[in-house]
Amino acid sequence: MAKSAVSAYHGVMRYRTPAPTTLPMPAASLSKIIRLAAALACFLLPGGRARADAYDPPANYYNSATGTGATLKSQLHNIIDNHTVRSYDDLRSLLQVTDRDPNNPSRMILVYDRVSLDVSKIGSSIPGWDNGVSWNREHTWPRARGVDSSGPDNSDLHQLRPSTNSVNSDRGNLNFGGAFGQPYGQVFDKGATVWYPGDADAGMIARQEFYMAVRYDGSDGSTEDLELYNGNPSTSQGLGDLARLIEWNYQAIPDQFERYRNQTVYGYQKNRNPFIDHPEFVWSVFVNQNNDSQLALAGGTAGAAGATTLDVDMGRVLVGAPTPGSQVITLNKSGSAGTYYEVTATGAATSSVTGRFNAFATGGSGSRNVTVGLNASTAAAGLITGTVAFDNLDITTGSGSGRGAQDGNDTANLALTVLDHARPSFDALAEVTTLSYDFGALAPGAAATSFQFDLYNLLGNAGYTAGLDLDQIDVLGDSGAFSLDIAPFMGSETLVGGGSRMFNATFDPLATGEFAAVYTFDFSDEDLPGAQDLGSLQLLLTAEVVAADNADFDDDGSVAGADLLAWQRGFGMAEGAARINGDANSDGAVTADDLGVWQTQFGAPSAPSASAANAAAVPEPAAITLAALLLAGAAVLPRRSRTSASQRSRRESHPKPAAKATCPAAPQAIY
């Protein structure tokens, strides 16, 4: 967890070193896990594509549109032909519905200038219509360019729009043209004066004219074969400029207003504009079969047929933490052709770009930033995944593998790792928070002895447990008597889930006395969102250093008869006895135990070492001298032995204080 550089506790400064870290992911391939999750998360309609909203066509409406080029044009004609024809007069009321202002149903949006006209204030025998004073009906495909005044094309709602009278007059019979990105009106383009419909209408106008060129082939009575041409065709030829209409189709995608209008007209005429439902059909029907567009995710791994895969690591958090923020990825388009693409988010993935009405313009490469993220709870540990897939919707195959219809899907695989909190323990199988170790009784000057202990980070959910940080170590008691080879660890040294580390505690018996120290280890989760303090583990160490038994009571360098006499004089002392009084084992009393030490050491040339004092070997005393000294003390031994036993019982029920310094009032931080 996040740690300050220095913090105070009980008046003692604690030093911490913050450092970020990254735990290794589980061994399983992240991308494989994500792809599996994505495969299970996709709910599709027949044909593999989900129906997005109420403006989509019926699921089987375009089932027969399976070809490309001229074949597709003919198939689409057959689908939308023979529509229910509404009279030209009907449009006085119907256009108020089809072109209703989405922000105010009492108003109507006029073509080109995009005026929102309040039709509720226009009163006559036909509500909203005042005989063309406030607005009139614009033939986007002019009558002068092939629309007969008595045929179904004259009143086809898919091509007629409400218009301001003066704007309609300004347009006249001009061909469409002009580069995208300028105000509506007459413009000079490619050597001719043409009409630019304005950015808000450019794409919609283009798709209306594509509809007219497919719907009317001259087979209906009072109609002509309507065709689109590049450049500035004459009124007798047809309508232009096809090249600009192609550009606008990819520069201005169908918006909600246009799609609502298509759905509403469908309700009146029982036919749809296929180039609103499927603007990707435009290239194949009106350009060629060689769309060279290819999509790719920046930074992704290239696969077969132009596909790319990008793994997006959304990070690692602890259970209960907020879901991390979104990330931005970039979708690139290469090739000169324009194309539409579909974006589908599955699993827990979210995307700022969705659906199938997304496009790259013609004329060269392009790129688009897409914000992706995950929308899921972090209440449980595990891997949260989702995918955002990008599908090039072009239907042409002439440019070969990796281009147009043969461009493989590009997929962003998102993953968020949610971790259980770390669990510190002294045991590998269970949560053990305290550990005690007694080094036992040692002789002064004996070799230092060590005790090994382990720290564990117990697994919660296998593979999804946070790393364990040791933030600081406090010690209470005889800290100078013991040493540990453990220090705070974090950052790159964090203890991974399921991991353990071995440490050593050492005691060096330099001075006599009883020693004890309590070490408190404070832990937290690794530095990740949602990290917490995890409490402490405590290690209790104890040891005792005792002097070696010594029966040389008169300190003359040997254990002899004079020492027996010293023992006799002190025999029976229950407390406060010293070695000069006959206390050979340093227990503060002179008892038969001290006589046993004298017997063992009798005849030694000097005071024994600590190892010699504890040895089992018994020196061979001079037989006569030993017997005499033993007989001299035999008369008092039984009586004093009973007294000694009574005194010893009292002493054991009131043990003397340990020979050590008192503990400090507050713990001492050693790290």
Side-chain angles (χ1 to χ4, degrees), residues 498-588:
S500 66
R501 288 181 189 159
M502 180 181 291
F503 301 98
N504 293 281
T506 302
F507 177 71
D508 194 357
L510 299 177
T512 60
E514 295 178 352
F515 303 90
V518 177
Y519 291 84
T520 301
F521 307 109
D522 294 333
F523 295 95
S524 68
D525 292 309
E526 62 174 308
D527 191 8
L528 292 173
Q532 297 178 359
D533 291 326
L534 301 174
S536 304
L537 300 184
Q538 288 191 324
L539 173 65
L540 171 62
L541 300 177
T542 57
E544 183 179 7
V545 179
V546 296
D549 294 344
N550 188 353
D552 183 11
F553 303 130
D554 57 7
D555 285 327
D556 64 354
S558 65
V559 179
D563 299 303
L564 178 60
L565 296 177
W567 174 81
Q568 285 179 315
R569 288 190 295 272
F571 181 70
M573 292 183 68
E575 58 185 17
R579 191 156 52 84
I580 195 173
N581 304 120
D583 183 10
N585 58 10
S586 302
D587 65 353

Side-chain angles (χ1 to χ4, degrees), residues 39-53:
L40 297 175
C42 194
F43 295 91
L44 300 174
L45 287 176
R49 183 177 61 82
R51 180 166 183 171
D53 54 44

Side-chain angles (χ1 to χ4, degrees), residues 83-146:
H83 69 267
T84 299
V85 178
R86 308 304 299 251
S87 71
Y88 188 63
D89 285 344
D90 287 346
L91 272 58
R92 295 173 296 181
S93 297
L94 298 183
L95 286 174
Q96 298 180 48
V97 179
T98 60
D99 291 67
R100 184 179 62 191
D101 187 337
N103 298 316
N104 190 334
S106 66
R107 291 177 172 269
M108 176 175 62
I109 299 296
L110 304 183
V111 70
Y112 308 139
D113 59 6
R114 283 281 165 157
V115 167
S116 178
L117 179 66
D118 188 354
V119 293
S120 68
K121 295 181 178 180
I122 301 175
S124 70
S125 59
I126 301 175
W129 175 255
D130 56 4
N131 297 313
V133 174
S134 299
W135 64 278
N136 61 19
R137 292 156 289 185
E138 154 73 339
H139 288 81
T140 62
W141 193 300
R143 285 173 172 167
R145 292 185 176 271

Side-chain angles (χ1 to χ4, degrees), residues 242-415:
L242 175 60
R244 287 299 191 190
L245 298 178
I246 298 293
E247 293 175 11
W248 299 346
N249 177 61
Y250 294 100
Q251 291 170 318
I253 64 174
D255 59 12
Q256 184 175 0
F257 176 79
E258 182 178 359
R259 297 186 65 225
Y260 158 80
R261 190 179 194 280
N262 188 36
Q263 184 70 21
T264 306
V265 172
Y266 174 61
Y268 291 133
Q269 295 189 170
K270 307 307 177 186
N271 75 339
R272 306 179 67 87
N273 184 337
F275 301 104
I276 298 176
D277 292 331
H278 291 282
E280 69 273 14
F281 288 169
V282 167
W283 196 274
S284 179
V285 174
F286 293 100
V287 185
N288 57 39
Q289 310 312 308
N290 302 314
N291 187 296
D292 63 353
S293 63
Q294 182 181 82
L295 305 183
L297 287 170
T301 301
T308 56
T309 302
L310 178 67
D311 290 336
V312 182
D313 186 359
M314 301 300 295
R316 301 160 59 246
V317 300
L318 275 296
V319 290
T323 303
S326 302
Q327 295 189 26
V328 176
I329 62 176
T330 301
L331 180 68
N332 294 324
K333 191 269 292 188
S334 61
S336 62
T339 193
Y340 274 76
Y341 60 93
E342 183 172 20
V343 182
T344 305
T346 58
T350 62
S351 173
S352 62
V353 180
T354 58
R356 56 197 318 276
F357 295 102
N358 312 285
F360 282 109
T362 61
S365 60
S367 64
R368 181 173 184 179
N369 290 336
V370 180
T371 302
V372 296
L374 291 170
N375 182 19
S377 169
T378 62
L383 189 66
I384 299 174
T385 64
T387 66
V388 179
F390 301 85
D391 181 12
N392 188 337
L393 294 178
D394 184 75
I395 63 172
T396 70
T397 59
S399 289
S401 177
R403 302 285 176 174
Q406 300 187 72
D407 181 16
N409 287 0
D410 305 281
T411 305
N413 300 315
L414 283 64

